[in-house]
Amino acid sequence: MKCPNCGQEIQAGHLYCEKCGMEIRIVPDFEPEIENSITETLSNVAEEIEDKKDKKQEEPEEPEELFPEETSKSWLTLKLITFMVILLITIVTSVLMYINYSVSFQISNARKYGEQGRYEEALKLLDKAGERDPDNTEIALLKARYYYQTGNIDQASETLYMLIERGKLSYDDAESIYAGLISIYDEQQRYEEINDLLLNCPEEEITTLFQHYMAFAPEYSYESGSYDEVIYLRLSANTTGSIYYTFDGSTPTMASQRYTAPILLESGRYQVNAVFINDYGIISDVVRNWYEINLAVPDAPIVIPESGKYEAPSKIEVLIPENCTVYYTTDRSTPNIDSIRYTGPIDMPLGRSNYKFIVISKEGVSSEITSRSYEFDMDTDVNINMAVSNVVNALIRRNVLKDTQGHAQGVAGKYIFRYNSIVEINKTYYYVLNEFYVDENGNEQKLERLYAVDVQTGSPNRLIFDEHGQMGLISLTD
């Protein structure tokens, strides 16, 4: 600092110029309330001094003192008053210096202003405190909060980001800063920046806390390599979203196959590329794995009879290879391990039917599919509807049912009958019907009773089995 009178450099802490003797006045910027208080205090001191002077003037003039001791006392009193005034000025100056330059005082007042919603005034105080202590994290956090409250979102996010860039943060401060910045980015839908921010975060706990914003590369349940068994490859991600994969070496996108269940890898070579896209549209790195499955593929199942038209009941049979299992479907879908398991000859159903068979080895390797289509029509005047009607009427005559709708005495629901198959008993063919109970809510329950109707005469019978599994008939026309 230089003297405003002579220009001489004045050392810090000096209140007078050593060259010309001019008093240096330091006028800090402080609160009006404090200034008024200090002014009032100084005024009171001045008034007290003036009162003392007036009292001295009002007192009758004393004769000149002859003794130097009393003169000395007056001089000491004057010096004491002067000292007190100087001390008071020094204290006031110190208070003003503290008010203007104390970081803790500025922060405390800024918080008070913030609680009152006076954010602009709070920011001015924090700017002053920041000049004295530029590395104070508390000041920066408060400034970011008040910037946000005043609608200056960009300044708030910039302040928080600079704190992260500066580093050297405690864990609690770091968590607060990341939470605040991520909250602002989320409001602005800046999800890519959130992902990048967290990828560069040195605190693993913070990364875990906000990992739902991130898109880590998918994890594979099997590493790349050669295997002597079928693999059910599972893909997983760190949070909610979707995994997409390809087999042809291309980079997967949202248009690729979406992962919903384990991927079956049978005999052969595979390249499985996968990518994860989270709920915020963040795309992970692509993972590429290679697999070689060294297993023998079983032969396709041998099914007899061949596809075609049939006028007499036939059995559909499949040759089961050793250590293998056969599965089939009748709805044109591709059979797998969850389909119907073949356990023995199947009665060819009446009308048109379609079958698909597959062999699966004990290692889980699937064969090619064998398909069969059949059209079975019998030369008879009795059809399925007639067979059902004959059974219902026979049960009415026996007082089992009370009407053709299948109602029975004391039963809320009703009974219905459906075609099952055609069987041969004693060189005669019969329609086999299953019995179902339907309650008043429409729920069906399959019952154990079976009925057999002669395909030529239409005569109804109960179908039974003896202890050896041989079929027998109980006539319902007697």
Side-chain angles (χ1 to χ4, degrees), residues 232 325 327 334-341 358 360-361 364 366:
Y232 285 90
T325 306
Y327 298 89
T334 300
N336 54 41
I337 197 170
D338 296 320
S339 302
I340 304 170
R341 181 178 178 180
I358 194 170
I360 299 180
S361 68
S366 300

Side-chain angles (χ1 to χ4, degrees), residues 90-106:
T90 302
I91 292 173
V92 170
T93 302
S94 300
V95 171
L96 294 177
M97 294 288 288
Y98 174 79
I99 292 172
N100 196 55
Y101 293 104
S102 169
V103 172
S104 61
F105 185 86
Q106 301 288 4

Side-chain angles (χ1 to χ4, degrees), residues 167-196:
K168 298 180 180 179
L169 301 168
S170 69
Y171 176 81
D172 290 340
D173 285 341
E175 183 179 337
S176 298
I177 293 167
Y178 275 93
L181 187 55
I182 289 172
S183 176
I184 292 174
Y185 284 174
D186 181 80
E187 288 182 11
Q188 299 174 333
Q189 297 185 357
R190 296 160 64 179
Y191 302 122
E192 288 284 356
E193 292 178 65
I194 295 177
N195 185 60
D196 293 339

Side-chain angles (χ1 to χ4, degrees), residues 129-152:
E131 291 174 2
R132 299 284 296 172
D133 189 0
D135 294 331
N136 191 309
T137 302
E138 182 183 7
I139 295 173
L141 282 171
L142 285 173
K143 289 178 70 174
R145 181 190 304 173
Y146 298 149
Y147 279 137
Y148 183 86
Q149 294 294 340
T150 57
N152 196 342

